[in-house]
Amino acid sequence: MADSDKVAIVTGAARGIGREVCRELLALGMTVVAVDLLEEKFPEMQSDLGSPGEKLDCRKLDVTDSEGFTALVDAAAEKYAHVDLLVNNAGITRDGLLMRMDDKDWDLVLKVNLYGAFYGTRAVSRYMVRQRGGSIVNMASYSGLEGNRGQANYSASKAGLLGLTKTTAIELAGKSVRCNAVAPGFIRTEMTDALAQQAKDIALSMIPMKRMGEASDIARAVAFLASDASSYITGQVLSVDGGMHT
Ligand code: NAD
C-alpha cells in the first residue's frame, strides 16, 4: 500500500512532538487519527495543520483507559477499513528524587508512558496481523537508555517501552508488522519549557551539538520509521539527540 493511502493513529497529538508527527504524516498523504486528552486544542489543530478536512480526525482519549483505547482502534478500523500505523507518543513526567518519589507519581508515569503504549499496541496488532502489514513507533527517550537523575519513574517507563518495542518486533515480524522506537534527547516543547533554568543548563551541557532539538527533528524520524522507506527495519531504537547517546 502506498504511504498516501495509510491510516495512522498518533497519541499525545495535541501539541509538541505529537503535533509535528501529525504534520509529517499528513504531508505524506496519510489519514491521521489524532488522539489526546486536550480536546479543547482540536479546533486549533485543524487550522494549524492546514485544514486537511477528512484526513485529520481528532479524538479524545486517555491512553490509560485500556477499553477506551481498544474501542478507539476498533472505531478507526471500522471507519477507514484498515489501521496501518500507531505512534505511541503520549507521555508525561513527574520528576523527583527516588527517595522522595511517592507511589502516585510512580504509578501515573508508568500508566501513561508504558501501559498506554501496551494497550494501543495490543489493540492495533490484531488488525495489523490480519492485514499482514503495519508499523508501530514508540516514543522512548535518552532517559530510558541512560537513566536520568530525578526521573526514576520516567526512565523506567521509557526503558520498559524499549522492551515492549523489541518483543513486539520479534512476535509480529513474521506477519510483516514492524515495531521501532525513537529516543529523543532534549527537545524544545512545553514539556521541557516547564523545567527550571538550572535543569535546562545541565541538559544543554550534555549535548555534543550544543543545542536543543526541535519537535520536527523527531517527527521526521518517526515518519521514516512509519513509512515504507524503512520496510526492512524492526526492533530498533533510533536516537535523535544531537549526539548524546552514541
Ligand atoms: P508535551 O507535554 O508537549 O505533549 C504531550 C502530549 O501528550 C500532550 O498533548 C498531552 O495532553 C498528551 N497526553 C498526556 N497524557 C495523556 C494521556 N493520558 N492520554 C492521552 N494523551 C495524553 O510533550 P512532548 O515533549 O511533545 O513529548 C512527547 C513524547 O516525547 C513523550 O512521550 C515524551 O516522553 C517524549 N520525549 C520528549 C522529550 C523532550 O525533550 N521534549 C525527550 C524525550 C522524550
Side-chain angles (χ1 to χ4, degrees), residues 12-18 35-38 61-64 89-92 112-113 139-142 154 158 184-192:
R15 66 183 205 193
I17 291 170
V35 168
D36 208 288
L37 282 173
L38 303 176
L61 174 76
D62 181 339
V63 297
T64 68
N89 168 75
I92 59 166
V112 176
N113 298 7
M139 198 57 68
S141 172
Y142 172 81
Y154 183 80
K158 296 299 188 179
F186 191 44
I187 311 301
R188 195 194 318 273
T189 68
E190 285 176 58
M191 180 183 272
T192 49

PDB file of all heavy atoms in Angstrom, residues 12-18 35-38 61-64 89-92 112-113 139-142 154 158 184-192, ligand 1:
ATOM      1  N   GLY A  12      -1.081  11.582  22.026  1.00  0.00           N
ATOM      2  CA  GLY A  12      -0.394  12.791  22.509  1.00  0.00           C
ATOM      3  C   GLY A  12      -0.203  13.775  21.371  1.00  0.00           C
ATOM      4  O   GLY A  12       0.834  14.429  21.253  1.00  0.00           O
ATOM      5  N   ALA A  13      -1.245  13.882  20.528  1.00  0.00           N
ATOM      6  CA  ALA A  13      -1.118  14.584  19.250  1.00  0.00           C
ATOM      7  C   ALA A  13      -1.384  16.084  19.336  1.00  0.00           C
ATOM      8  O   ALA A  13      -1.126  16.815  18.392  1.00  0.00           O
ATOM      9  CB  ALA A  13      -2.088  13.961  18.245  1.00  0.00           C
ATOM     10  N   ALA A  14      -1.888  16.558  20.477  1.00  0.00           N
ATOM     11  CA  ALA A  14      -2.387  17.940  20.517  1.00  0.00           C
ATOM     12  C   ALA A  14      -1.292  19.002  20.481  1.00  0.00           C
ATOM     13  O   ALA A  14      -1.529  20.136  20.079  1.00  0.00           O
ATOM     14  CB  ALA A  14      -3.251  18.135  21.761  1.00  0.00           C
ATOM     15  N   ARG A  15      -0.104  18.639  20.911  1.00  0.00           N
ATOM     16  CA  ARG A  15       0.953  19.673  20.962  1.00  0.00           C
ATOM     17  C   ARG A  15       2.323  18.999  20.858  1.00  0.00           C
ATOM     18  O   ARG A  15       2.427  17.769  20.788  1.00  0.00           O
ATOM     19  CB  ARG A  15       0.829  20.478  22.254  1.00  0.00           C
ATOM     20  CG  ARG A  15       1.116  19.663  23.495  1.00  0.00           C
ATOM     21  CD  ARG A  15       0.907  20.458  24.766  1.00  0.00           C
ATOM     22  NE  ARG A  15       1.718  19.904  25.837  1.00  0.00           N
ATOM     23  CZ  ARG A  15       1.582  20.199  27.126  1.00  0.00           C
ATOM     24  NH1 ARG A  15       0.638  21.057  27.498  1.00  0.00           N
ATOM     25  NH2 ARG A  15       2.370  19.659  28.024  1.00  0.00           N
ATOM     26  N   GLY A  16       3.355  19.824  20.860  1.00  0.00           N
ATOM     27  CA  GLY A  16       4.727  19.327  20.937  1.00  0.00           C
ATOM     28  C   GLY A  16       5.076  18.352  19.822  1.00  0.00           C
ATOM     29  O   GLY A  16       4.724  18.545  18.655  1.00  0.00           O
ATOM     30  N   ILE A  17       5.754  17.286  20.211  1.00  0.00           N
ATOM     31  CA  ILE A  17       6.248  16.309  19.236  1.00  0.00           C
ATOM     32  C   ILE A  17       5.078  15.649  18.496  1.00  0.00           C
ATOM     33  O   ILE A  17       5.121  15.480  17.275  1.00  0.00           O
ATOM     34  CB  ILE A  17       7.124  15.257  19.966  1.00  0.00           C
ATOM     35  CG1 ILE A  17       8.435  15.909  20.446  1.00  0.00           C
ATOM     36  CG2 ILE A  17       7.409  14.069  19.058  1.00  0.00           C
ATOM     37  CD1 ILE A  17       9.271  15.035  21.377  1.00  0.00           C
ATOM     38  N   GLY A  18       4.030  15.304  19.227  1.00  0.00           N
ATOM     39  CA  GLY A  18       2.889  14.631  18.600  1.00  0.00           C
ATOM     40  C   GLY A  18       2.263  15.474  17.500  1.00  0.00           C
ATOM     41  O   GLY A  18       1.884  14.965  16.438  1.00  0.00           O
ATOM     42  N   VAL A  35      -5.018  11.653  18.614  1.00  0.00           N
ATOM     43  CA  VAL A  35      -5.613  11.301  19.903  1.00  0.00           C
ATOM     44  C   VAL A  35      -4.968  12.109  21.024  1.00  0.00           C
ATOM     45  O   VAL A  35      -3.736  12.211  21.078  1.00  0.00           O
ATOM     46  CB  VAL A  35      -5.369   9.788  20.142  1.00  0.00           C
ATOM     47  CG1 VAL A  35      -5.691   9.409  21.561  1.00  0.00           C
ATOM     48  CG2 VAL A  35      -6.151   8.948  19.150  1.00  0.00           C
ATOM     49  N   ASP A  36      -5.787  12.673  21.900  1.00  0.00           N
ATOM     50  CA  ASP A  36      -5.221  13.392  23.046  1.00  0.00           C
ATOM     51  C   ASP A  36      -6.303  13.589  24.102  1.00  0.00           C
ATOM     52  O   ASP A  36      -7.505  13.477  23.820  1.00  0.00           O
ATOM     53  CB  ASP A  36      -4.669  14.761  22.617  1.00  0.00           C
ATOM     54  CG  ASP A  36      -3.528  15.239  23.507  1.00  0.00           C
ATOM     55  OD1 ASP A  36      -3.805  15.609  24.675  1.00  0.00           O
ATOM     56  OD2 ASP A  36      -2.362  15.222  23.057  1.00  0.00           O
ATOM     57  N   LEU A  37      -5.858  13.914  25.303  1.00  0.00           N
ATOM     58  CA  LEU A  37      -6.768  14.324  26.373  1.00  0.00           C
ATOM     59  C   LEU A  37      -7.294  15.734  26.128  1.00  0.00           C
ATOM     60  O   LEU A  37      -8.387  16.072  26.555  1.00  0.00           O
ATOM     61  CB  LEU A  37      -5.982  14.375  27.708  1.00  0.00           C
ATOM     62  CG  LEU A  37      -5.662  13.103  28.451  1.00  0.00           C
ATOM     63  CD1 LEU A  37      -4.737  13.429  29.618  1.00  0.00           C
ATOM     64  CD2 LEU A  37      -6.949  12.477  28.956  1.00  0.00           C
ATOM     65  N   LEU A  38      -6.481  16.564  25.469  1.00  0.00           N
ATOM     66  CA  LEU A  38      -6.765  18.000  25.368  1.00  0.00           C
ATOM     67  C   LEU A  38      -7.714  18.311  24.207  1.00  0.00           C
ATOM     68  O   LEU A  38      -7.333  18.906  23.202  1.00  0.00           O
ATOM     69  CB  LEU A  38      -5.454  18.787  25.195  1.00  0.00           C
ATOM     70  CG  LEU A  38      -4.392  18.609  26.281  1.00  0.00           C
ATOM     71  CD1 LEU A  38      -3.115  19.367  25.909  1.00  0.00           C
ATOM     72  CD2 LEU A  38      -4.933  19.091  27.629  1.00  0.00           C
ATOM     73  N   LEU A  61      -9.052  10.796  23.955  1.00  0.00           N
ATOM     74  CA  LEU A  61      -8.803   9.501  24.602  1.00  0.00           C
ATOM     75  C   LEU A  61      -7.747   9.690  25.682  1.00  0.00           C
ATOM     76  O   LEU A  61      -6.760  10.385  25.487  1.00  0.00           O
ATOM     77  CB  LEU A  61      -8.268   8.479  23.582  1.00  0.00           C
ATOM     78  CG  LEU A  61      -7.828   7.140  24.190  1.00  0.00           C
ATOM     79  CD1 LEU A  61      -9.035   6.283  24.560  1.00  0.00           C
ATOM     80  CD2 LEU A  61      -6.920   6.354  23.243  1.00  0.00           C
ATOM     81  N   ASP A  62      -7.982   9.045  26.811  1.00  0.00           N
ATOM     82  CA  ASP A  62      -6.937   8.908  27.825  1.00  0.00           C
ATOM     83  C   ASP A  62      -6.289   7.551  27.562  1.00  0.00           C
ATOM     84  O   ASP A  62      -6.952   6.510  27.675  1.00  0.00           O
ATOM     85  CB  ASP A  62      -7.562   8.953  29.226  1.00  0.00           C
ATOM     86  CG  ASP A  62      -6.524   8.848  30.326  1.00  0.00           C
ATOM     87  OD1 ASP A  62      -5.416   8.350  30.064  1.00  0.00           O
ATOM     88  OD2 ASP A  62      -6.831   9.258  31.456  1.00  0.00           O
ATOM     89  N   VAL A  63      -5.014   7.553  27.220  1.00  0.00           N
ATOM     90  CA  VAL A  63      -4.372   6.284  26.814  1.00  0.00           C
ATOM     91  C   VAL A  63      -4.287   5.274  27.955  1.00  0.00           C
ATOM     92  O   VAL A  63      -3.994   4.103  27.717  1.00  0.00           O
ATOM     93  CB  VAL A  63      -2.964   6.509  26.206  1.00  0.00           C
ATOM     94  CG1 VAL A  63      -3.044   7.320  24.922  1.00  0.00           C
ATOM     95  CG2 VAL A  63      -1.999   7.123  27.202  1.00  0.00           C
ATOM     96  N   THR A  64      -4.547   5.706  29.181  1.00  0.00           N
ATOM     97  CA  THR A  64      -4.531   4.751  30.298  1.00  0.00           C
ATOM     98  C   THR A  64      -5.842   3.962  30.388  1.00  0.00           C
ATOM     99  O   THR A  64      -5.973   3.080  31.234  1.00  0.00           O
ATOM    100  CB  THR A  64      -4.282   5.452  31.653  1.00  0.00           C
ATOM    101  OG1 THR A  64      -5.410   6.268  31.969  1.00  0.00           O
ATOM    102  CG2 THR A  64      -3.032   6.302  31.616  1.00  0.00           C
ATOM    103  N   ASN A  89       2.986   8.121  21.332  1.00  0.00           N
ATOM    104  CA  ASN A  89       3.767   9.309  21.683  1.00  0.00           C
ATOM    105  C   ASN A  89       3.353   9.947  23.010  1.00  0.00           C
ATOM    106  O   ASN A  89       4.149  10.647  23.631  1.00  0.00           O
ATOM    107  CB  ASN A  89       3.636  10.334  20.536  1.00  0.00           C
ATOM    108  CG  ASN A  89       4.171  11.694  20.926  1.00  0.00           C
ATOM    109  OD1 ASN A  89       5.372  11.905  21.004  1.00  0.00           O
ATOM    110  ND2 ASN A  89       3.264  12.631  21.219  1.00  0.00           N
ATOM    111  N   ALA A  90       2.119   9.711  23.460  1.00  0.00           N
ATOM    112  CA  ALA A  90       1.640  10.366  24.693  1.00  0.00           C
ATOM    113  C   ALA A  90       2.601  10.045  25.836  1.00  0.00           C
ATOM    114  O   ALA A  90       2.965   8.888  26.045  1.00  0.00           O
ATOM    115  CB  ALA A  90       0.232   9.888  25.032  1.00  0.00           C
ATOM    116  N   GLY A  91       3.000  11.074  26.556  1.00  0.00           N
ATOM    117  CA  GLY A  91       3.926  10.851  27.660  1.00  0.00           C
ATOM    118  C   GLY A  91       3.902  12.005  28.632  1.00  0.00           C
ATOM    119  O   GLY A  91       3.555  13.136  28.267  1.00  0.00           O
ATOM    120  N   ILE A  92       4.234  11.699  29.869  1.00  0.00           N
ATOM    121  CA  ILE A  92       4.266  12.731  30.917  1.00  0.00           C
ATOM    122  C   ILE A  92       5.505  12.533  31.788  1.00  0.00           C
ATOM    123  O   ILE A  92       6.122  11.460  31.781  1.00  0.00           O
ATOM    124  CB  ILE A  92       3.017  12.672  31.829  1.00  0.00           C
ATOM    125  CG1 ILE A  92       2.899  11.301  32.524  1.00  0.00           C
ATOM    126  CG2 ILE A  92       1.754  12.988  31.052  1.00  0.00           C
ATOM    127  CD1 ILE A  92       1.898  11.278  33.673  1.00  0.00           C
ATOM    128  N   VAL A 112       0.738   6.038  31.989  1.00  0.00           N
ATOM    129  CA  VAL A 112       0.607   6.784  30.726  1.00  0.00           C
ATOM    130  C   VAL A 112       1.665   6.316  29.724  1.00  0.00           C
ATOM    131  O   VAL A 112       1.365   5.959  28.575  1.00  0.00           O
ATOM    132  CB  VAL A 112       0.735   8.307  30.962  1.00  0.00           C
ATOM    133  CG1 VAL A 112       0.704   9.063  29.626  1.00  0.00           C
ATOM    134  CG2 VAL A 112      -0.375   8.800  31.892  1.00  0.00           C
ATOM    135  N   ASN A 113       2.923   6.322  30.160  1.00  0.00           N
ATOM    136  CA  ASN A 113       4.021   6.135  29.204  1.00  0.00           C
ATOM    137  C   ASN A 113       4.183   4.687  28.743  1.00  0.00           C
ATOM    138  O   ASN A 113       4.561   4.448  27.596  1.00  0.00           O
ATOM    139  CB  ASN A 113       5.342   6.590  29.824  1.00  0.00           C
ATOM    140  CG  ASN A 113       5.359   8.068  30.170  1.00  0.00           C
ATOM    141  OD1 ASN A 113       4.338   8.748  30.070  1.00  0.00           O
ATOM    142  ND2 ASN A 113       6.497   8.579  30.601  1.00  0.00           N
ATOM    143  N   MET A 139       7.531   6.255  21.358  1.00  0.00           N
ATOM    144  CA  MET A 139       8.355   7.408  21.704  1.00  0.00           C
ATOM    145  C   MET A 139       9.082   7.121  23.015  1.00  0.00           C
ATOM    146  O   MET A 139       8.521   7.234  24.095  1.00  0.00           O
ATOM    147  CB  MET A 139       7.483   8.666  21.829  1.00  0.00           C
ATOM    148  CG  MET A 139       8.274   9.947  21.760  1.00  0.00           C
ATOM    149  SD  MET A 139       9.261  10.116  20.257  1.00  0.00           S
ATOM    150  CE  MET A 139       7.979  10.303  19.024  1.00  0.00           C
ATOM    151  N   ALA A 140      10.330   6.705  22.901  1.00  0.00           N
ATOM    152  CA  ALA A 140      11.145   6.402  24.076  1.00  0.00           C
ATOM    153  C   ALA A 140      11.849   7.684  24.523  1.00  0.00           C
ATOM    154  O   ALA A 140      11.305   8.786  24.410  1.00  0.00           O
ATOM    155  CB  ALA A 140      12.119   5.273  23.744  1.00  0.00           C
ATOM    156  N   SER A 141      13.081   7.572  25.008  1.00  0.00           N
ATOM    157  CA  SER A 141      13.816   8.745  25.472  1.00  0.00           C
ATOM    158  C   SER A 141      15.261   8.369  25.776  1.00  0.00           C
ATOM    159  O   SER A 141      15.537   7.222  26.173  1.00  0.00           O
ATOM    160  CB  SER A 141      13.180   9.295  26.755  1.00  0.00           C
ATOM    161  OG  SER A 141      13.976  10.301  27.322  1.00  0.00           O
ATOM    162  N   TYR A 142      16.115   9.349  25.663  1.00  0.00           N
ATOM    163  CA  TYR A 142      17.501   9.204  26.138  1.00  0.00           C
ATOM    164  C   TYR A 142      17.500   8.723  27.589  1.00  0.00           C
ATOM    165  O   TYR A 142      18.305   7.894  27.989  1.00  0.00           O
ATOM    166  CB  TYR A 142      18.196  10.562  26.019  1.00  0.00           C
ATOM    167  CG  TYR A 142      19.562  10.614  26.654  1.00  0.00           C
ATOM    168  CD1 TYR A 142      20.677  10.130  25.983  1.00  0.00           C
ATOM    169  CD2 TYR A 142      19.737  11.150  27.933  1.00  0.00           C
ATOM    170  CE1 TYR A 142      21.935  10.167  26.574  1.00  0.00           C
ATOM    171  CE2 TYR A 142      20.991  11.194  28.524  1.00  0.00           C
ATOM    172  CZ  TYR A 142      22.075  10.697  27.831  1.00  0.00           C
ATOM    173  OH  TYR A 142      23.307  10.735  28.423  1.00  0.00           O
ATOM    174  N   TYR A 154      10.114   7.986  35.090  1.00  0.00           N
ATOM    175  CA  TYR A 154      10.118   8.257  33.644  1.00  0.00           C
ATOM    176  C   TYR A 154      11.113   7.344  32.911  1.00  0.00           C
ATOM    177  O   TYR A 154      10.788   6.740  31.893  1.00  0.00           O
ATOM    178  CB  TYR A 154      10.465   9.731  33.444  1.00  0.00           C
ATOM    179  CG  TYR A 154      10.443  10.216  32.020  1.00  0.00           C
ATOM    180  CD1 TYR A 154       9.236  10.538  31.388  1.00  0.00           C
ATOM    181  CD2 TYR A 154      11.626  10.389  31.299  1.00  0.00           C
ATOM    182  CE1 TYR A 154       9.226  11.011  30.090  1.00  0.00           C
ATOM    183  CE2 TYR A 154      11.621  10.863  30.002  1.00  0.00           C
ATOM    184  CZ  TYR A 154      10.415  11.177  29.390  1.00  0.00           C
ATOM    185  OH  TYR A 154      10.399  11.644  28.103  1.00  0.00           O
ATOM    186  N   LYS A 158      10.318   4.484  30.091  1.00  0.00           N
ATOM    187  CA  LYS A 158      10.881   4.529  28.733  1.00  0.00           C
ATOM    188  C   LYS A 158      11.761   3.313  28.454  1.00  0.00           C
ATOM    189  O   LYS A 158      11.804   2.817  27.326  1.00  0.00           O
ATOM    190  CB  LYS A 158      11.670   5.832  28.530  1.00  0.00           C
ATOM    191  CG  LYS A 158      10.816   7.094  28.619  1.00  0.00           C
ATOM    192  CD  LYS A 158       9.733   7.133  27.553  1.00  0.00           C
ATOM    193  CE  LYS A 158       8.997   8.468  27.512  1.00  0.00           C
ATOM    194  NZ  LYS A 158       7.962   8.514  26.469  1.00  0.00           N
ATOM    195  N   PRO A 184      14.257  10.478  21.682  1.00  0.00           N
ATOM    196  CA  PRO A 184      14.674  11.895  21.626  1.00  0.00           C
ATOM    197  C   PRO A 184      15.600  12.227  22.788  1.00  0.00           C
ATOM    198  O   PRO A 184      15.537  11.600  23.856  1.00  0.00           O
ATOM    199  CB  PRO A 184      13.350  12.655  21.780  1.00  0.00           C
ATOM    200  CG  PRO A 184      12.255  11.665  21.564  1.00  0.00           C
ATOM    201  CD  PRO A 184      12.828  10.348  21.979  1.00  0.00           C
ATOM    202  N   GLY A 185      16.421  13.247  22.557  1.00  0.00           N
ATOM    203  CA  GLY A 185      17.250  13.766  23.644  1.00  0.00           C
ATOM    204  C   GLY A 185      16.495  14.882  24.355  1.00  0.00           C
ATOM    205  O   GLY A 185      15.514  14.639  25.063  1.00  0.00           O
ATOM    206  N   PHE A 186      16.931  16.112  24.135  1.00  0.00           N
ATOM    207  CA  PHE A 186      16.360  17.268  24.821  1.00  0.00           C
ATOM    208  C   PHE A 186      15.723  18.168  23.756  1.00  0.00           C
ATOM    209  O   PHE A 186      16.427  18.847  23.001  1.00  0.00           O
ATOM    210  CB  PHE A 186      17.490  17.986  25.562  1.00  0.00           C
ATOM    211  CG  PHE A 186      17.061  19.036  26.528  1.00  0.00           C
ATOM    212  CD1 PHE A 186      16.007  18.840  27.399  1.00  0.00           C
ATOM    213  CD2 PHE A 186      17.747  20.240  26.589  1.00  0.00           C
ATOM    214  CE1 PHE A 186      15.633  19.817  28.304  1.00  0.00           C
ATOM    215  CE2 PHE A 186      17.385  21.226  27.499  1.00  0.00           C
ATOM    216  CZ  PHE A 186      16.325  21.005  28.350  1.00  0.00           C
ATOM    217  N   ILE A 187      14.385  18.125  23.701  1.00  0.00           N
ATOM    218  CA  ILE A 187      13.650  18.731  22.590  1.00  0.00           C
ATOM    219  C   ILE A 187      12.811  19.899  23.101  1.00  0.00           C
ATOM    220  O   ILE A 187      12.184  19.799  24.157  1.00  0.00           O
ATOM    221  CB  ILE A 187      12.719  17.678  21.926  1.00  0.00           C
ATOM    222  CG1 ILE A 187      13.491  16.374  21.627  1.00  0.00           C
ATOM    223  CG2 ILE A 187      12.054  18.239  20.682  1.00  0.00           C
ATOM    224  CD1 ILE A 187      14.676  16.519  20.710  1.00  0.00           C
ATOM    225  N   ARG A 188      12.789  20.994  22.316  1.00  0.00           N
ATOM    226  CA  ARG A 188      12.056  22.188  22.739  1.00  0.00           C
ATOM    227  C   ARG A 188      10.533  21.968  22.594  1.00  0.00           C
ATOM    228  O   ARG A 188       9.995  21.975  21.489  1.00  0.00           O
ATOM    229  CB  ARG A 188      12.474  23.370  21.859  1.00  0.00           C
ATOM    230  CG  ARG A 188      12.068  24.730  22.402  1.00  0.00           C
ATOM    231  CD  ARG A 188      12.206  25.810  21.345  1.00  0.00           C
ATOM    232  NE  ARG A 188      13.420  25.672  20.562  1.00  0.00           N
ATOM    233  CZ  ARG A 188      14.597  26.193  20.898  1.00  0.00           C
ATOM    234  NH1 ARG A 188      14.705  26.897  21.978  1.00  0.00           N
ATOM    235  NH2 ARG A 188      15.646  26.027  20.123  1.00  0.00           N
ATOM    236  N   THR A 189       9.862  21.728  23.721  1.00  0.00           N
ATOM    237  CA  THR A 189       8.386  21.590  23.738  1.00  0.00           C
ATOM    238  C   THR A 189       7.895  22.130  25.086  1.00  0.00           C
ATOM    239  O   THR A 189       8.709  22.489  25.954  1.00  0.00           O
ATOM    240  CB  THR A 189       7.923  20.108  23.637  1.00  0.00           C
ATOM    241  OG1 THR A 189       8.290  19.432  24.840  1.00  0.00           O
ATOM    242  CG2 THR A 189       8.499  19.384  22.444  1.00  0.00           C
ATOM    243  N   GLU A 190       6.578  22.088  25.277  1.00  0.00           N
ATOM    244  CA  GLU A 190       6.046  22.560  26.565  1.00  0.00           C
ATOM    245  C   GLU A 190       6.517  21.689  27.723  1.00  0.00           C
ATOM    246  O   GLU A 190       6.619  22.150  28.856  1.00  0.00           O
ATOM    247  CB  GLU A 190       4.507  22.612  26.510  1.00  0.00           C
ATOM    248  CG  GLU A 190       4.028  23.797  25.689  1.00  0.00           C
ATOM    249  CD  GLU A 190       2.521  23.843  25.523  1.00  0.00           C
ATOM    250  OE1 GLU A 190       1.812  23.880  26.537  1.00  0.00           O
ATOM    251  OE2 GLU A 190       2.057  23.864  24.370  1.00  0.00           O
ATOM    252  N   MET A 191       6.835  20.411  27.432  1.00  0.00           N
ATOM    253  CA  MET A 191       7.342  19.533  28.488  1.00  0.00           C
ATOM    254  C   MET A 191       8.685  20.043  29.025  1.00  0.00           C
ATOM    255  O   MET A 191       8.902  20.093  30.228  1.00  0.00           O
ATOM    256  CB  MET A 191       7.511  18.102  27.948  1.00  0.00           C
ATOM    257  CG  MET A 191       8.024  17.115  28.968  1.00  0.00           C
ATOM    258  SD  MET A 191       8.287  15.456  28.279  1.00  0.00           S
ATOM    259  CE  MET A 191       6.689  14.726  28.482  1.00  0.00           C
ATOM    260  N   THR A 192       9.575  20.462  28.136  1.00  0.00           N
ATOM    261  CA  THR A 192      10.890  20.936  28.584  1.00  0.00           C
ATOM    262  C   THR A 192      10.865  22.420  28.957  1.00  0.00           C
ATOM    263  O   THR A 192      11.683  22.863  29.766  1.00  0.00           O
ATOM    264  CB  THR A 192      11.971  20.663  27.510  1.00  0.00           C
ATOM    265  OG1 THR A 192      11.474  21.132  26.241  1.00  0.00           O
ATOM    266  CG2 THR A 192      12.297  19.187  27.414  1.00  0.00           C
TER     267      THR A 192
HETATM  268  P1  NAD B   1       4.136  17.525  25.677  1.00  0.00           P
HETATM  269  O1  NAD B   1       3.858  17.516  27.132  1.00  0.00           O
HETATM  270  O2  NAD B   1       4.336  18.819  24.980  1.00  0.00           O
HETATM  271  O3  NAD B   1       2.971  16.725  24.897  1.00  0.00           O
HETATM  272  C1  NAD B   1       2.482  15.506  25.371  1.00  0.00           C
HETATM  273  C2  NAD B   1       1.071  15.309  24.852  1.00  0.00           C
HETATM  274  O4  NAD B   1       0.580  14.066  25.399  1.00  0.00           O
HETATM  275  C3  NAD B   1       0.100  16.404  25.324  1.00  0.00           C
HETATM  276  O5  NAD B   1      -0.673  16.866  24.257  1.00  0.00           O
HETATM  277  C4  NAD B   1      -0.743  15.710  26.380  1.00  0.00           C
HETATM  278  O6  NAD B   1      -2.048  16.225  26.504  1.00  0.00           O
HETATM  279  C5  NAD B   1      -0.750  14.279  25.860  1.00  0.00           C
HETATM  280  N1  NAD B   1      -1.077  13.330  26.934  1.00  0.00           N
HETATM  281  C6  NAD B   1      -0.554  13.278  28.173  1.00  0.00           C
HETATM  282  N2  NAD B   1      -1.151  12.312  28.893  1.00  0.00           N
HETATM  283  C7  NAD B   1      -2.053  11.726  28.058  1.00  0.00           C
HETATM  284  C8  NAD B   1      -2.973  10.662  28.229  1.00  0.00           C
HETATM  285  N3  NAD B   1      -3.103  10.019  29.404  1.00  0.00           N
HETATM  286  N4  NAD B   1      -3.757  10.311  27.190  1.00  0.00           N
HETATM  287  C9  NAD B   1      -3.668  10.974  26.005  1.00  0.00           C
HETATM  288  N5  NAD B   1      -2.802  11.993  25.791  1.00  0.00           N
HETATM  289  C10 NAD B   1      -2.015  12.371  26.809  1.00  0.00           C
HETATM  290  O7  NAD B   1       5.392  16.566  25.495  1.00  0.00           O
HETATM  291  P2  NAD B   1       6.426  16.363  24.277  1.00  0.00           P
HETATM  292  O8  NAD B   1       7.701  16.998  24.685  1.00  0.00           O
HETATM  293  O9  NAD B   1       5.813  16.702  22.976  1.00  0.00           O
HETATM  294  O10 NAD B   1       6.656  14.797  24.416  1.00  0.00           O
HETATM  295  C11 NAD B   1       6.062  13.842  23.547  1.00  0.00           C
HETATM  296  C12 NAD B   1       6.705  12.495  23.808  1.00  0.00           C
HETATM  297  O11 NAD B   1       8.125  12.586  23.591  1.00  0.00           O
HETATM  298  C13 NAD B   1       6.526  11.998  25.245  1.00  0.00           C
HETATM  299  O12 NAD B   1       6.343  10.593  25.240  1.00  0.00           O
HETATM  300  C14 NAD B   1       7.853  12.341  25.889  1.00  0.00           C
HETATM  301  O13 NAD B   1       8.147  11.499  26.973  1.00  0.00           O
HETATM  302  C15 NAD B   1       8.796  12.105  24.722  1.00  0.00           C
HETATM  303  N6  NAD B   1      10.081  12.791  24.887  1.00  0.00           N
HETATM  304  C16 NAD B   1      10.150  14.155  24.909  1.00  0.00           C
HETATM  305  C17 NAD B   1      11.384  14.768  25.075  1.00  0.00           C
HETATM  306  C18 NAD B   1      11.556  16.257  25.102  1.00  0.00           C
HETATM  307  O14 NAD B   1      12.686  16.718  25.317  1.00  0.00           O
HETATM  308  N7  NAD B   1      10.509  17.045  24.900  1.00  0.00           N
HETATM  309  C19 NAD B   1      12.541  13.982  25.213  1.00  0.00           C
HETATM  310  C20 NAD B   1      12.423  12.603  25.187  1.00  0.00           C
HETATM  311  C21 NAD B   1      11.187  12.006  25.006  1.00  0.00           C
END
